[in-house]
């Protein structure tokens, strides 16, 4: 282990690598007063690695003086340093709150907002009264907004009336106060939202619609359904998200009607991620062909959404398969995902799925797949090859020359595997082609297969 004198020397070294390593020692080793001051200096080091190491050391070192020593840096004009200090204080957590509170009274409005933000993000209710006091005494809009947001983040239910007073001060505060209500989750806040919805500004209404999902009851569910009918984007998205939350909370089913379905579908296609995810959970209540089509069009774009809609797609395999076949063109932005879905269908329901198709449909499907053997995407080519063998091996063989000409080694190796599994007699027929392949791995693979086959024949 390095001695203290060496470590201190390295903290002052002109070599950033030595400074970084020295700072890392204090992840676990105690910090004296002088060493602490030096590590704090390194937060402004010219080297990012040194700054990061100093930040981590101050975040996890057990010296209790750290918060009070770094909190003053919140007033720095260096935005990067301010943000780094914020990260450190957040990692320290509850233990940093007394130092933040102590620094608050003499802070500028900008610093006060920063301090309130940090205390809110720490998430402990300990500073609640201090935040409320600041909210009552400050005239600065940004500080008031920070206080409202922080009270929501710490979920302080006793702040509801104080927040209502802020709501009444200006329409500027409406959305933030309502978002705070949603995080707090108080019935009193729910009643306030329902009473004030009609008179709220459009921006505040959006926040109210989202918060109802966290605060509302079964009657709120039907209120949202009514609002959904006349809603436009982005209010539709907020309603869909809240409907999903209330459906889960109260085990309510979405009523079937065309307008509701179209609103959910539009959210699924056009909404931001969290709204799409909610819509993907709701849409599976509708057993329509246009819903299936939409689900196929978006499949593969997001793994969480896929998880919601995959059971829906698999529930009616034959219909989904026919619609999927219509989407297997180069124009499909999610072609690879659709091919993988088709492979899943065949692997899990091979007999029942394919038996639902006419022979002409199977041939048409194979024709579509053969077209993708020349796709620029090597993974698409491999999937097309695999699917051809899984569906109709004798038809797959007709495209052997195209498959064996694939310029990707791994695709040619996969072709050998497919021939071995589905048409072993053809593998021997084509063995000479593989034996003359430019890649040694291909030549070795076919040589090994042929040798294994000869041994099996001799043994039998």
């Amino acid at each position: 282990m390095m001695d203290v004198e060496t470590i201190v020397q390295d903290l002052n070294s002109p070599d950033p690598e030595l400074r970084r390593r020295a700072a890392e020692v204090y992840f676990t080793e105690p910090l004296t007063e002088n060493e602490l001051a030096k590590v704090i200096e390194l937060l402004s080091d010219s080297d990012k690695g040194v700054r990061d190491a100093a930040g981590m050391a101050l975040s996890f070192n057990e010296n209790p003086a750290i918060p009070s020593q770094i909190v003053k840096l919140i007033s720095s004009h260096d935005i990067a340093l301010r943000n780094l200090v914020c990260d450190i204080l957040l990692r320290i957590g509850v233990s940093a709150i007394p130092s933040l509170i102590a620094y608050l009274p003499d802070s500028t409005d900008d610093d006060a907002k920063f301090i309130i933000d940090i205390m809110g993000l720490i998430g402990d209710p300990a500073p609640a009264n201090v935040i409320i006091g600041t909210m009552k005494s400050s005239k600065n809009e940004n500080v008031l907004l920070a206080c409202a947001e922080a009270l929501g983040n710490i979920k302080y239910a006793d702040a509801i009336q104080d927040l209502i007073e802020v709501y009444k001060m200006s329409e500027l505060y409406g959305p933030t106060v309502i978002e705070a209500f949603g995080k707090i989750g108080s019935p009193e806040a729910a009643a306030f939202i329902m009473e004030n919805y009609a008179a709220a500004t459009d921006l505040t209404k959006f926040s109210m619609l989202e918060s109802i999902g966290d605060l509302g009851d079964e009657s709120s569910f039907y209120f949202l359904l009514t609002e959904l009918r006349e809603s436009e984007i982005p209010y539709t998205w907020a309603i869909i998200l809240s409907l999903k939350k209330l459906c889960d909370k109260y085990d309510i089913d979405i009523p079937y009607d065309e307008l509701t379905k179209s609103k959910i579908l539009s959210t699924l296609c056009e909404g931001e991620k969290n709204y799409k995810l909610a819509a993907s959970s709701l849409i599976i209540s509708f057993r329509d062909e246009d819903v299936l089509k939409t689900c196929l069009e978006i499949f593969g774009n997001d793994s969480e959404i896929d998880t919601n809609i995959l059971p829906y797609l698999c529930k009616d395999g034959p219909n989904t398969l026919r619609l999927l076949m219509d989407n297997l063109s180069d124009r499909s932005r999610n072609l690879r995902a659709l091919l993988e879905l088709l492979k899943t269908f065949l692997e899990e329901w091979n007999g029942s799925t394919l038996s639902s198709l006419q022979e002409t449909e199977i041939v048409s499907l194979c024709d579509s797949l053969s077209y993708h053997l020349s796709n620029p995407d090597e993974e698409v080519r491999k999937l097309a090859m695999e699917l051809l063998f899984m569906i109709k091996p004798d038809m797959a063989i007709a495209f052997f020359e195209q498959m064996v000409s694939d310029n990707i080694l791994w695709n040619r190796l996969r072709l050998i595997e497919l021939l071995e599994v589905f048409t072993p007699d053809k593998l021997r027929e084509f063995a000479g082609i593989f034996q003359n392949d430019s890649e040694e791995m291909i030549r070795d693979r076919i040589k090994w297969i042929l040798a294994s086959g000869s041994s099996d024949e001799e043994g039998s």
Side-chain angles (χ1 to χ4, degrees):
M1 175 170 174
M2 299 171 67
D3 60 72
V4 172
E5 184 177 345
T6 302
I7 297 171
V8 173
Q9 287 176 353
D10 287 347
L11 287 173
N12 294 284
S13 171
D15 184 348
E17 181 65 16
L18 290 179
R19 297 198 302 276
R20 180 184 64 79
R21 291 180 183 177
E24 289 174 349
V25 170
Y26 296 108
F27 287 5
T28 54
E29 293 299 312
L31 272 165
T32 66
E33 184 177 342
N34 289 338
E35 291 163 357
L36 173 56
K38 184 56 192 175
V39 174
I40 290 174
E41 284 182 28
L42 295 181
L43 294 176
S44 302
D45 196 275
S46 58
D47 184 88
K48 184 179 185 301
V50 175
R51 297 195 302 272
D52 289 344
M56 294 299 286
L58 295 169
S59 298
F60 299 107
N61 194 280
E62 295 183 359
N63 188 320
I66 291 173
S68 62
Q69 291 297 308
I70 67 171
V71 71
K72 65 190 77 170
L73 297 178
I74 285 173
S75 300
S76 171
H77 295 297
D78 183 343
I79 300 300
L81 177 58
R82 284 169 61 113
N83 290 337
L84 180 54
V85 169
C86 173
D87 291 340
I88 296 168
L89 292 168
L90 284 174
R91 292 192 194 105
I92 293 172
V94 176
S95 299
I97 290 176
S99 298
L100 288 162
I101 291 174
Y103 195 65
L104 184 60
D106 299 323
S107 298
T108 65
D109 286 333
D110 285 346
D111 292 348
K113 178 194 180 307
F114 209 72
I115 291 168
I116 297 293
D117 284 341
I118 295 171
M119 292 195 293
L121 291 171
I122 289 173
D124 190 271
N129 289 331
V130 172
I131 296 172
I132 291 173
T134 303
M135 188 169 69
K136 288 180 176 179
S137 62
S138 178
K139 304 299 182 184
N140 183 275
E141 292 177 346
N142 290 328
V143 173
L144 286 170
L145 288 168
C147 289
E149 184 175 359
L151 290 168
N153 286 335
I154 65 176
K155 299 177 171 57
Y156 195 66
D158 289 344
I160 294 297
Q161 282 302 319
D162 295 305
L163 287 168
I164 288 174
E165 292 305 312
V166 173
Y167 179 95
K168 294 176 179 177
M169 288 169 59
S170 166
E171 64 183 37
L172 169 70
Y173 304 123
T176 303
V177 168
I178 298 302
E179 287 170 15
F181 285 168
K183 294 174 183 177
I184 293 170
S186 164
E188 184 182 2
F192 178 84
I193 287 175
M194 298 306 293
E195 290 167 7
N196 290 273
Y197 178 82
T201 65
D202 288 344
L203 193 57
T204 301
K205 279 185 176 179
F206 181 85
S207 296
M208 287 177 164
L209 291 170
E210 280 204 327
S211 294
I212 287 172
D214 299 308
L215 301 172
D217 53 21
E218 293 187 54
S219 64
S220 306
F221 177 84
Y222 296 104
F223 164 77
L224 290 173
L225 283 178
T226 302
E227 289 295 310
L228 182 65
R229 302 189 69 82
E230 303 297 329
S231 69
E232 297 181 355
I233 294 171
Y235 304 100
T236 300
W237 301 348
I239 294 171
I240 294 298
L241 180 60
S242 284
L243 284 171
K244 165 64 170 61
K245 291 177 179 179
L246 293 174
C247 282
D248 291 345
K249 189 186 300 184
Y250 297 104
D251 195 23
I252 309 173
D253 292 327
I254 286 285
Y256 182 92
D257 66 74
E258 286 295 320
L259 186 55
T260 301
K261 182 184 73 175
S262 68
K263 297 284 186 177
I264 299 174
L265 281 178
S266 71
T267 303
L268 184 60
C269 295
E270 303 168 18
E272 296 174 3
K273 167 65 183 287
N274 58 326
Y275 306 118
K276 283 185 175 183
L277 194 57
S280 68
S281 294
L282 295 177
I283 200 62
I284 59 177
S285 300
F286 298 86
R287 305 298 304 170
D288 285 357
E289 186 171 299
D290 54 341
V291 175
L292 272 175
K293 286 180 178 178
T294 301
C295 288
L296 284 172
E297 287 169 5
I298 66 164
F299 188 79
N301 294 336
D302 183 276
S303 59
E304 289 184 276
I305 292 173
D306 289 350
T307 299
N308 284 341
I309 63 177
L310 181 58
Y312 175 75
L313 292 172
C314 295
K315 196 168 185 179
D316 188 357
N319 278 340
T320 300
L321 179 58
R322 285 189 169 88
L323 290 172
L324 193 157
M325 289 164 58
D326 294 336
N327 283 275
L328 296 181
S329 71
D330 281 336
R331 294 187 300 276
S332 298
R333 290 174 293 179
N334 59 339
L335 175 61
R336 185 194 295 191
L338 292 178
L339 292 174
E340 289 171 344
L341 177 62
L342 177 56
K343 186 178 177 182
T344 298
F345 269 45
L346 297 180
E347 287 174 340
E348 298 191 17
W349 302 288
N350 189 12
S352 60
T353 303
L354 287 180
S355 64
S356 69
L357 299 180
Q358 301 293 327
E359 180 65 20
T360 54
E361 290 178 309
I362 293 176
V363 171
S364 176
L365 174 57
C366 289
D367 281 338
S368 296
L369 292 171
S370 67
Y371 177 76
H372 296 303
L373 293 172
S374 58
N375 193 283
D377 186 329
E378 64 187 71
E379 186 64 25
V380 168
R381 298 198 302 274
K382 181 173 76 71
L383 284 165
M385 183 169 60
E386 290 172 337
L387 289 165
L388 278 167
F389 275 99
M390 293 172 72
I391 295 169
K392 205 169 180 61
D394 58 334
M395 193 166 178
I397 292 298
F399 301 99
F400 172 78
E401 287 189 12
Q402 190 172 359
M403 296 176 187
V404 81
S405 300
D406 196 295
N407 63 352
I408 299 298
L409 161 67
W410 305 109
N411 282 2
R412 300 202 300 281
L413 279 174
R414 182 60 177 143
L415 174 58
I416 293 175
E417 294 172 356
L418 292 167
L419 287 166
E420 189 177 11
V421 171
F422 291 99
T423 56
D425 56 324
K426 291 294 183 181
L427 178 59
R428 291 189 168 276
E429 181 181 329
F430 298 135
I433 296 174
F434 293 113
Q435 288 171 326
N436 292 318
D437 194 278
S438 60
E439 293 286 349
E440 183 178 0
M441 192 180 295
I442 299 286
R443 299 195 300 271
D444 288 346
R445 177 63 180 165
I446 195 65
K447 181 179 179 181
W448 182 85
I449 291 174
L450 293 175
S452 298
S454 298
S455 298
D456 292 341
E457 290 173 8
E458 289 173 9
S460 62

